[in-house]
Amino acid sequence: MAWTSASEPITTALSADEFKRRLRAMERYYHLHHPFQQMMARGELNREQLQGWVINRFYYQASIPRKDAALLANCPDPAVRREWVQRIIDHDGRGDDPGGIEAWLRLGEAVGVSRERLLSLDEVLPGVRFAVDGYINFARQRPWEEAVCSSLTELFAPEAHRSRLSTWPQHYPWVDNEGLAYFRNRLGQARRDVEHGLSLTLAHFRSAEAQQRALETLGFKLDVLWSMLDAMYLAFIVEMPPYQAVEDQ
Ligand SMILES: O=C(O)c1cc(C(=O)O)c2c(n1)C(=O)C(=O)c1cc(C(=O)O)[nH]c1-2
């Protein structure tokens, strides 16, 4: 895998600063750099392609609280749970706050996809489903500290949200600006999440072996995000959705 061969194995325990630097260096493989997102930022997606991204990414959004609930179920530390539970509330909402999943449904409406169509999950590509389910299952099966570490791609997410906020109004003026609230809301939430996730990762991955495992865990998560976009690229850009060859016969 690209991110493993590009990264020297850790053989002696790194200082916190050096370990953080190594985690941040994984940004090079973040999905922001995937050709699909590059096309999105350059305004090269047509309406159906942008809609396809919103429809498929909805499966990720809808699955994040289930992933976080799996982490909580594995975590015996009430202090960690007390903070981590906020992530579920951010997505599901509470009281007057409708939450991130609702914000994504509004993003769907802003790009011309009804909430019924998003909620049905009927158009989620199998590759996207497998990648996202892989993330949920990882949180179910692995120690909670690794699930914490796997969320650290959020270190890099604010740049992705900022890019969409600055490029969409210019390139996709037909998208209602109100619909971009999801990206605006995540800027603050991701910063807070990352501080918590990073401090837990620094505290729990101290030996060389553990730090190496942390890099590999972050690499696994990069794979999840990249694979989702590979599936979308094949279906919407190459125009080779699953089973098309069979159906064309
Ligand atoms: O739009 C993006 O590029 C992006 C990336 C990520 C990420 O890096 O996992 C998340 C999000 N958005 C996001 O909105 C979100 O709520 C979120 C939660 C998590 C996580 O792993 O717990 N990642 C992300």
Side-chain angles (χ1 to χ4, degrees):
M1 196 56 61
W3 48 260
T4 37
S5 55
S7 156
E8 282 286 300
I10 298 175
T11 49
T12 47
L14 305 175
S15 67
D17 277 352
E18 184 58 15
F19 181 36
K20 259 193 276 188
R21 197 190 63 71
R22 290 292 300 271
L23 290 166
R24 286 187 197 280
M26 308 275 281
E27 195 278 334
R28 179 152 180 239
Y29 300 99
Y30 194 48
H31 68 168
L32 180 60
H33 309 298
H34 190 284
F36 193 92
Q37 291 222 97
Q38 297 278 299
M39 288 181 72
M40 181 190 291
R42 290 195 299 264
E44 292 169 8
L45 298 187
N46 64 30
R47 198 181 168 90
E48 286 69 34
Q49 289 163 336
L50 197 64
Q51 290 180 341
W53 179 78
V54 170
I55 289 169
N56 277 275
R57 258 296 297 264
F58 180 68
Y59 189 58
Y60 187 71
Q61 304 311 133
S63 300
I64 290 289
R66 299 176 61 212
K67 179 273 293 183
D68 285 319
L71 182 154
L72 290 179
N74 287 334
C75 177
D77 184 338
V80 173
R81 293 201 304 264
R82 196 159 44 224
E83 277 203 61
W84 203 272
V85 73
Q86 183 60 40
R87 296 176 185 234
I88 297 183
I89 295 165
D90 286 344
H91 282 85
D92 288 343
R94 188 162 67 180
D96 291 339
D97 171 15
I101 293 178
E102 175 60 29
W104 198 276
L105 289 168
R106 290 181 191 171
L107 172 66
E109 286 173 328
V111 301
V113 179
S114 71
R115 56 178 56 222
E116 291 71 29
R117 208 173 142 199
L118 273 185
L119 285 165
S120 75
L121 304 178
D122 282 347
E123 294 169 67
V124 177
L125 294 162
V128 169
R129 212 177 266 273
F130 294 145
V132 173
D133 290 351
Y135 189 30
I136 303 177
N137 286 330
F138 182 89
R140 284 190 182 133
Q141 289 158 5
R142 302 298 304 171
W144 67 270
E145 296 92 333
E146 288 185 26
V148 166
C149 178
S150 68
S151 76
L152 286 186
T153 46
E154 279 204 275
L155 276 168
F156 320 130
E159 199 45 49
H161 298 311
R162 259 192 295 275
S163 158
R164 296 170 200 136
L165 285 167
S166 75
T167 61
W168 283 33
Q170 181 192 347
H171 296 312
Y172 309 106
W174 50 271
V175 177
D176 181 357
N177 201 40
E178 294 278 304
L180 306 186
Y182 181 83
F183 304 131
R184 275 190 284 276
N185 298 344
R186 279 312 293 173
L187 287 175
Q189 291 169 353
R191 196 172 315 115
R192 184 211 54 212
D193 286 357
V194 148
E195 278 171 25
H196 186 218
L198 198 54
S199 74
L200 288 172
T201 301
L202 296 179
H204 289 279
F205 294 82
R206 290 184 168 273
S207 69
E209 190 201 356
Q211 290 176 339
Q212 177 62 27
R213 191 156 31 87
L215 290 188
E216 286 164 16
T217 299
L218 190 53
F220 157 76
K221 174 66 175 304
L222 293 170
D223 290 348
V224 168
L225 296 171
W226 197 271
S227 300
M228 289 169 66
L229 289 176
D230 279 352
M232 290 184 231
Y233 193 94
L234 200 58
F236 305 129
I237 310 293
V238 181
E239 297 187 6
M240 204 181 95
Y243 307 114
Q244 191 189 41
V246 184
E247 285 168 356
D248 281 352
Q249 275 171 15

